Amino acid sequence: MAVHAHPDDESSKGAATMARYVAEGVDVMVVSCTGGERGDVLNPKLQHDPEVERDIVGYRRKEMAEAVRILGVQHRWLGFVDSGLPEGDPLPPLPDGCFALEPLDIAAAPLVRLVREFRPHVMTTYDEDGGYPHPDHIMCHRVSLEAFEAAGDPDRYVGHGQVPWSPLKLYYNQTFSRAKITTYHQALLDAGAESPFAEWMERWEERAERAVTTRVPVAEHLETADRALLAHATQVDPDGMWFSVPAETRRRIWPTEEFELARSLVGGPVAGPAGSPVDEADLEDDLFAGVREHLAQGGAA
């Protein structure tokens, strides 16, 4: 179960990993906490399009349905309202009724229900900083952690799902690690091309690098992830940053997607404080490492 804040997040963060597991016969569910109602139209080709502006909610739902089809995953909406990304100094208050302002027990309850119904062995979400400090990404982290820890407790969230269920592992998606983006940046420079990552890399000086515990090989599934991301046409410029490094080059220089193991009931290299490196020899190459062995031995969640 991959829990994301908005439609399109699932296709830009860990999509190739999901495509790989779908191809292997794993049941995969994407959960979108909000409908992305307050997201701007980021594709310059569709900006100021009156039809898009008139029905951005409908467009984002159709885009999400196409991405889900391409990835081959199941999908559920939690039904909360996008908080928007506040800008200005000082920052304006968040709008009433938005996802980030919901009480934690109210926001987590539908996810607890989904966990108990879908019964995932592994969950993925964002770290406590949200991957980047969007209020919905931070809230997504909070509700995911709450659901991971509470869904197996019969005394919590009574009435939200029939049978308690404890997932075995929780990962934070680290798709945009500093090492990965630096490698992309250098590859573009070496090819004599302009890199769109320079400004992004400068901003990293303001925050510590997260630990990586798990590198999932996904070379064969990068094109599927690209097609899913392109399905979010209002959000993604096909000539923009996301596609500046061709899939063929990415397969050669960085054929993995990265995760940070945050919680585990079956062992594994759980990261220490943010930035603490994990020895290369201890890195996992499978989100289900330890899970498969646990289930083969008759274990249950």
Side-chain angles (χ1 to χ4, degrees):
M1 175 181 282
V3 188
H4 289 282
H6 313 107
D8 78 66
D9 287 327
E10 85 297 326
S11 295
S12 61
K13 305 169 186 68
T17 296
M18 290 191 292
R20 167 191 159 162
Y21 286 123
V22 168
E24 292 179 359
V26 175
D27 290 331
V28 179
M29 176 180 284
V30 170
V31 179
S32 301
C33 294
T34 80
E37 297 86 352
R38 290 190 169 94
D40 295 326
V41 177
L42 301 179
N43 184 347
K45 300 176 180 63
L46 294 177
Q47 287 173 348
H48 311 302
D49 183 309
E51 186 175 343
V52 172
E53 292 180 345
R54 185 168 55 249
D55 188 22
I56 186 63
V57 174
Y59 263 83
R60 299 209 70 180
R61 284 188 169 267
K62 287 187 289 187
E63 291 169 351
M64 186 69 202
E66 177 62 8
V68 165
R69 185 194 68 79
I70 291 168
L71 292 172
V73 300
Q74 300 181 50
H75 177 246
R76 300 291 186 276
W77 301 97
L78 282 197
F80 294 103
V81 177
D82 189 345
S83 305
L85 182 60
E87 296 179 313
D89 187 13
L91 292 174
L94 294 174
D96 292 341
C98 72
F99 178 53
L101 294 183
E102 292 284 355
L104 181 59
D105 60 334
I106 299 298
L111 185 58
V112 170
R113 178 184 292 275
L114 276 179
V115 169
R116 289 172 175 171
E117 291 175 354
F118 183 61
R119 297 158 63 95
H121 295 104
V122 173
M123 292 178 63
T124 66
T125 189
Y126 314 135
D127 61 44
E128 57 270 19
D129 294 323
Y132 82 108
H134 189 298
D136 285 340
H137 283 239
I138 293 170
M139 190 61 167
C140 180
H141 160 81
R142 295 180 64 205
V143 300
S144 299
L145 188 60
E146 175 78 355
F148 180 86
E149 295 180 341
D153 187 340
D155 296 324
R156 299 183 67 186
Y157 295 91
V158 176
H160 293 279
Q162 294 293 319
V163 180
W165 178 264
S166 294
L168 297 173
K169 301 176 86 173
L170 175 69
Y171 286 93
Y172 297 155
N173 198 307
Q174 301 297 346
T175 297
F176 305 118
S177 68
R178 184 176 304 182
K180 180 177 187 175
I181 298 304
T182 300
T183 301
Y184 282 4
H185 174 75
Q186 191 59 51
L188 288 169
L189 296 182
D190 291 345
E194 184 177 349
S195 170
F197 299 111
E199 183 178 346
W200 193 350
M201 293 166 61
E202 289 176 6
R203 291 199 299 269
W204 269 325
E205 297 177 3
E206 303 171 5
R207 57 178 295 184
E209 174 76 322
R210 301 288 307 198
V212 167
T213 64
T214 312
R215 299 187 188 278
V216 180
V218 293
E220 298 176 5
H221 304 283
L222 293 175
E223 284 91 347
T224 300
D226 285 353
R227 288 191 291 113
L229 187 55
L230 284 167
H232 293 282
T234 60
Q235 302 299 297
V236 179
D237 180 357
D239 300 320
M241 177 185 69
W242 298 112
F243 307 102
S244 58
V245 182
E248 180 179 348
T249 302
R250 282 180 275 141
R251 277 197 298 271
R252 175 173 52 82
I253 66 174
W254 203 279
T256 61
E257 288 184 331
E258 283 65 51
F259 297 84
E260 176 186 339
L261 181 58
R263 300 284 191 279
S264 177
L265 304 182
V266 291
V270 177
S276 300
V278 174
D279 192 292
E280 287 287 331
D282 296 328
L283 290 177
E284 300 174 318
D285 61 2
D286 181 8
L287 299 185
F288 292 90
V291 172
R292 303 179 194 278
E293 296 81 357
H294 175 78
L295 298 178
Q297 294 169 4

